[in-house]
Amino acid sequence: MSEIVHSDRFRRKHTKKAYEDEVLQPVIDWLLKDEPFVPYDYPILREAVENGIASSCNDSENEKGFTKGGNPNNTDMPREKKLTKNAFRDAVTQKGSQSQQFLDQLLQQKQDFLEKSSLTSEQYEHAVRAFNILSSNCAKIGSTSSLSVAWEKMKEGG
């Protein structure tokens, strides 16, 4: 992570001029800190790990209305493209679903994190970008060890 937060890709995003150190330094301090700054707990995630993930779809029809084996609307758009257009949106937004509960817990954690850490929304977005860069780098080299540490930070930040 240290290499990433000092890279041009992190410091500049899509601009020629690097972001000010006053903006980035609190983000870097949080990303490199070993101990959690804000406690976190995701009961629904813990429950899913212990008991499995609840599915709101039945086996013969997925959440987009496609039956196994075909496109029910016979339109020109390929079936695969339609399936990925709004992938999982219905399952996540279904009231009371495990996915919706997890999303609610994530949003609450993010709000708590921003309040307690004093990071701004802009700084939070810089942290998210650092995680994106890290995951991209890990995918390119086929390594996941750094992601284990990053996952804890992501859960802390919501």
Side-chain angles (χ1 to χ4, degrees):
M1 185 60 78
S2 181
E3 180 180 320
I4 288 168
V5 297
H6 293 97
S7 70
D8 273 351
R9 187 173 172 197
F10 173 74
R11 293 187 164 275
R12 295 182 190 279
K13 194 177 178 182
H14 299 292
T15 64
K16 291 182 179 180
K17 184 179 177 188
Y19 288 99
E20 299 291 327
D21 284 338
E22 296 81 35
V23 173
L24 294 180
Q25 197 56 53
V27 177
I28 293 169
D29 291 344
W30 173 68
L31 289 171
L32 298 180
K33 187 176 181 183
D34 289 336
E35 297 298 317
F37 182 75
V38 177
Y40 59 90
D41 182 38
Y42 296 99
I44 199 73
L45 183 59
R46 190 174 52 255
E47 180 184 311
V49 169
E50 293 169 1
N51 302 323
I53 298 172
S55 174
S56 60
C57 309
N58 66 38
D59 289 338
S60 65
E61 188 174 329
N62 70 25
E63 60 269 355
K64 298 292 146 230
F66 287 99
T67 56
K68 288 183 179 177
N71 178 343
N73 299 328
N74 286 333
T75 60
D76 294 336
M77 187 183 288
R79 180 177 186 269
E80 294 79 18
K81 191 166 189 170
K82 279 190 166 186
L83 286 174
T84 59
K85 184 176 179 186
N86 293 314
F88 306 110
R89 184 166 290 157
D90 291 341
V92 171
T93 58
Q94 184 179 2
K95 258 196 176 340
S97 71
Q98 194 177 39
S99 301
Q100 181 62 50
Q101 291 174 33
F102 182 55
L103 182 61
D104 292 343
Q105 290 173 7
L106 278 173
L107 294 173
Q108 183 61 50
Q109 179 65 27
K110 177 182 177 181
Q111 183 180 9
D112 293 347
F113 174 78
L114 288 174
E115 287 173 8
K116 294 176 183 173
S117 69
S118 300
L119 291 182
T120 66
S121 292
E122 178 188 14
Q123 290 169 324
Y124 184 85
E125 292 305 316
H126 287 293
V128 169
R129 193 170 67 257
F131 292 130
N132 288 338
I133 294 168
L134 176 66
S135 61
S136 177
N137 290 352
C138 287
K140 288 175 186 173
I141 63 172
S143 172
T144 59
S145 56
S146 299
L147 292 177
S148 298
V149 176
W151 173 235
E152 297 303 317
K153 283 291 188 185
M154 286 186 257
K155 289 190 296 187
E156 180 184 0

